[in-house]
Amino acid sequence: LVSSTADAQRRSRRRAGAAVNSGPTYGAHLGYNFDVDDLLLGAQLSWPFTPDLSFYPQFDYYFVNDGSVWALNLHLKWPPPTRRRVWYVAGGLNWSHASAGGNSNSDTNLNLATGLEGNRGKTRPYVEGRFILGDETSFQLVGGVSWR
């Protein structure tokens, strides 16, 4: 069998596309924590170690009435082998900090998350649900966009 020049060009484009999709993504999100009834604004980065595993840090700032609350989430993100690979699961640590009236407190928790993320193009919308498991368990839902 002999392949044509067009076949070779298509293979070359597929390999080039795979290399482009293997880099980091960064973005912003807006969400709501249902257990503390607060809006949040945040940022995230997804840095792949392999095509199937990424380092996925996030920063969340919560809009509270008194004081300030923020959290840093350090996850590992994995897309299960599905047909379109838009679904992912993530888990890791949550470090949250709250301060009000001259007092402050920090807490370390476990995070479990799942979401759907577009995987085509440079702009990738996503939605994610996250359980924060610790002394005060909570659930939050965020939606945002990532850029490659």
Side-chain angles (χ1 to χ4, degrees):
L1 294 178
V2 177
S3 65
S4 71
T5 306
D7 290 335
Q9 289 174 351
R10 280 191 291 271
R11 281 193 305 270
S12 176
R13 272 187 255 137
R14 279 194 299 262
R15 275 185 253 130
V20 169
N21 287 336
S22 64
T25 61
Y26 58 92
H29 56 263
L30 183 64
Y32 188 77
N33 187 304
F34 289 89
D35 295 289
V36 294
D37 293 327
D38 287 324
L39 287 174
L40 66 101
L41 180 66
Q44 74 278 348
L45 172 72
S46 185
W47 194 281
F49 295 124
T50 70
D52 293 329
L53 187 65
S54 298
F55 177 56
Y56 184 48
Q58 297 172 314
F59 177 81
D60 294 327
Y61 179 82
Y62 297 85
F63 294 96
V64 295
N65 291 332
D66 298 321
S68 67
V69 178
W70 56 266
L72 180 62
N73 305 295
L74 302 173
H75 299 137
L76 289 177
K77 180 173 154 182
W78 175 66
T82 58
R83 183 170 179 224
R84 298 199 186 262
R85 297 185 63 87
V86 296
W87 174 50
Y88 65 87
V89 294
L93 294 176
N94 162 278
W95 184 56
S96 58
H97 181 79
S99 61
N103 297 317
S104 65
N105 184 37
S106 294
D107 198 13
T108 304
N109 302 294
L110 176 67
N111 267 340
L112 298 174
T114 187
L116 298 171
E117 181 177 26
N119 61 6
R120 305 247 188 258
K122 292 185 185 238
T123 302
R124 299 169 179 216
Y126 80 97
V127 63
E128 177 181 285
R130 185 181 327 142
F131 285 101
I132 303 167
L133 308 171
D135 291 337
E136 296 181 24
T137 298
S138 65
F139 175 76
Q140 63 189 39
L141 187 62
V142 300
V145 64
S146 292
W147 296 277
R148 183 163 304 283

